[in-house]
Amino acid sequence: MYLEKTVYSLLLLATSILLLAVLMYFSIYYEPLTTVLLNYRFNRVLSVVFTGFILGVIGSYLQACLRNPLVDHYILGIGSGSLFTVYLSIILFGFNIYVSSSVAIIGGLTALFITISIAETIGGSDTAYVLSGLGVNSLFSGLSILLIYIVSSKYPLAIHLFIGSFALASPDHHLLLMILSIILLSSYFILVKPLNTLMLGDIYAKQLGFNPRFYRSLTIILSGSLASIVVSLYGLIGFIGLVSPHISRFLIKTIDNRLVSPLSGVVSALLLLLTDDFSRMILSNYIGEIPTGAIVSVFGAPFFLFLILTRFRGRVG
Amino acid sequence: MIKIAGLDVRYNGRIVLKNISLEMPGDKITCILGPNGAGKTTLLRAISKIIDFKGSIYLDGLEISKTPLKTIARILSYTSHLYINELLSLTVLDTLLISRYPISKGFMESREDYEAVINTAKKLRLGNMLNRKLSELSSGELQRVVIASALVKNPRYLLFDEPDAHIDPGSKNFIARIIRDWSRDHVVVFTTQDILFGLSVGEYFIVINNGEIVFSGEYRELIRSKHILEKAFGLRLFEVEVNNRSLLIPSYSF
């Protein structure tokens, strides 16, 4: 039927937004209700939702433009690369979100460039990207760990960036996050159709009038920069950008990025808010607050392994 | 009519096509024959502005190097194999809708786009597999999707790169019929390594070997100069007559 999937996706998108709104409400308004707590919760929930949305959309962009179902900003090394330069900048200039988010872009894009170059040199397959990303991640994570010892004396919260946590949420971030979301939303209309043609192969994209090199570079630079900025604020939050596009594709039974990307953003925001709530409300009652990044990895990593398994089963069978 | 003058293509420093000049008639199916690596694909990709080249190529009055990619995308289809990834696989419907992008106006597909896709799919016997993933199709079905993706935007020029690759004789026969049907009001060019398929479907012939045109001409001329084909492919060909039409049959290991 004409526009069948579009209508279905829009309904699903509306439902998820509604669900997200309800979850946001209950994540903010619960006893005890003091002004300070409400303010804190409001800031934190807003940060989580913006971050989730940005990382979810970026995940779908990166997977589409590299035609690779196994990547997100974390796997590709953007996370650890930007974290390393954020630490460096804290040591050199002290902590300032605008300085650290700018240098994060340099680190994130450098790491991403190294990962892609190595992956393309060793054949450019899905798994080549994962392997190359693993190496780049180890390098920059290692360097970051070395720096943590120096950074912590200047900025004690730096360790939170390494694991990924929203305990750092602050109202100062909202303007920045809003700008990032607006950039992302405007890029949506420019990028999603070319990304769809890229999924048929570079030759096809060009034959359909879209220069693959141009649109791939544009997507990579945009996604890399936005993800780096998010990392400079809340640290390494892996797997959420990997999982959400897959969940969205599974729900709407298409990989059309016009439909997948927005849903992936909302699904990712929902998942991240759920994990953050879990860490903030439930775990903190028993063992103290566990950084959200750690919990996301605990749930996300098995999903990633599952994806790799199905990928290889598909190839053999 | 497609007119090419002084075409040179280099790839990684290697010369793939050397100083090619030729014309392909607009009212006949042009078949480009040649062994692997002869430059057939490169020639079609140069005409489609997919790769860089030196020289000039004209699609009727239009010079390609001075025409934007978007314009070429509206009037010309080039098909080769589709990229397939099991975890990121498009459905047949998605693939055909995406293939309409050059001539589709809005952000989402219009009813007209959708109907064009359904009609094209039916013509290629894909009507009942619109929601199947490309990764689940057989080679024959996939080749029909490839052909459909070229036809769905109804361009003036149709360039098929090895439309007969990896498919069984029945599927080849079906593809041959589609090519013939569409050649009535479209300019059709296809490449093949299969001499028999090429001779059965083509009406005007170009033989490429080592990046050079070694023959261009009509059917009868090609049959008369079969030694050119024999030399290009490195085998012997026997002329046989089927339904009053001469065909060249390769004789393997004679």
Side-chain angles (χ1 to χ4, degrees), chain B residues 1-2 21-33 188-192 198-207 213 215-222 245:
Chain B
M1 189 175 77
I2 300 172
S21 298
L22 58 86
E23 284 179 15
M24 302 180 192
D27 55 348
K28 291 191 180 79
I29 305 174
T30 302
C31 167
I32 301 175
L33 279 162
V188 180
V189 182
F190 73 100
T191 67
T192 183
L199 289 177
S200 317
V201 183
E203 293 162 342
Y204 185 82
F205 296 86
I206 291 164
V207 182
I213 305 289
F215 174 89
S216 66
E218 306 275 335
Y219 191 84
R220 291 192 177 287
E221 276 177 77
L222 182 66
R245 189 178 161 99

Side-chain angles (χ1 to χ4, degrees), chain B residues 33-248:
Chain B
L33 279 162
N36 287 331
K40 307 186 291 291
T41 298
T42 308
L43 180 58
L44 287 197
R45 288 186 180 173
I47 299 172
S48 322
K49 208 184 176 173
I50 290 171
I51 52 169
D52 296 332
F53 59 85
K54 282 199 189 106
S56 47
I57 300 177
Y58 295 90
L59 296 177
D60 293 304
L62 212 61
E63 199 193 333
I64 285 184
S65 53
K66 291 178 184 147
T67 312
L69 200 58
K70 297 258 182 218
T71 311
I72 292 174
R74 275 199 292 275
I75 58 167
L76 178 147
S77 280
Y78 163 82
T79 64
S80 56
H81 67 284
L82 284 159
Y83 179 89
I84 292 170
N85 182 317
E86 293 107 79
L87 282 172
L88 285 180
S89 185
L90 289 157
T91 61
V92 174
L93 180 66
D94 288 337
T95 307
L96 297 185
L97 285 172
I98 291 171
S99 305
R100 284 275 297 187
Y101 281 180
I103 58 161
S104 162
K105 293 200 174 64
F107 182 69
M108 299 308 291
E109 59 269 15
S110 64
R111 188 169 282 279
E112 191 192 341
D113 291 327
Y114 184 78
E115 270 158 17
V117 165
I118 301 293
N119 287 336
T120 312
K122 277 186 189 147
K123 276 182 206 147
L124 281 134
R125 298 184 188 154
L126 296 164
N128 58 347
M129 46 184 96
L130 282 166
N131 287 315
R132 292 259 299 278
K133 287 182 177 176
L134 296 185
S135 56
E136 295 166 355
L137 302 180
S138 71
S139 316
E141 289 163 345
L142 197 59
Q143 196 59 40
R144 300 211 298 274
V145 176
V146 169
I147 304 284
S149 77
L151 304 181
V152 75
K153 68 184 183 195
N154 196 16
R156 170 146 174 76
Y157 305 90
L158 289 164
L159 313 185
F160 299 114
D161 199 357
E162 303 206 356
D164 61 326
H166 313 299
I167 57 175
D168 60 64
S171 302
K172 282 193 191 198
N173 186 38
F174 181 67
I175 302 272
R177 218 176 66 212
I178 295 288
I179 292 178
R180 255 184 238 122
D181 284 352
W182 281 74
S183 71
R184 278 198 289 273
D185 36 18
H186 296 79
V187 180
V188 180
V189 182
F190 73 100
T191 67
T192 183
Q193 306 173 6
D194 182 341
I195 298 168
L196 207 52
F197 180 79
L199 289 177
S200 317
V201 183
E203 293 162 342
Y204 185 82
F205 296 86
I206 291 164
V207 182
I208 304 188
N209 196 16
N210 289 325
E212 283 174 283
I213 305 289
V214 290
F215 174 89
S216 66
E218 306 275 335
Y219 191 84
R220 291 192 177 287
E221 276 177 77
L222 182 66
I223 301 286
R224 273 200 298 273
S225 30
K226 72 176 169 123
H227 59 279
I228 294 174
L229 272 178
E230 286 178 330
K231 197 177 161 215
F233 282 93
L235 48 53
R236 288 198 60 198
L237 294 167
F238 291 99
E239 193 177 333
V240 292
E241 214 157 282
V242 182
N243 290 339
N244 294 323
R245 189 178 161 99
S246 302
L247 287 175
L248 298 174

Side-chain angles (χ1 to χ4, degrees), chain A residues 88-141:
Chain A
L88 266 185
S89 89
I90 295 176
I91 292 172
L92 295 175
F93 315 112
F95 186 74
N96 171 315
I97 58 163
Y98 292 98
V99 174
S100 65
S101 53
S102 316
V103 297
I105 296 178
I106 302 171
L109 290 184
T110 308
L112 177 61
F113 180 73
I114 299 174
T115 307
I116 293 177
S117 313
I118 294 174
E120 285 300 322
T121 313
I122 59 174
S125 71
D126 297 357
T127 37
Y129 273 83
V130 177
L131 288 176
S132 160
L134 179 75
V136 172
N137 266 324
S138 308
L139 172 67
F140 285 107
S141 301

Side-chain angles (χ1 to χ4, degrees), chain A residues 53-54 57-58 61 180-188 226:
Chain A
F53 179 77
I54 294 167
V57 175
I58 286 177
Y61 282 5
L180 299 189
S181 303
I182 289 169
I183 295 174
L184 205 55
L185 283 175
S186 20
S187 73
Y188 168 79
L226 296 191

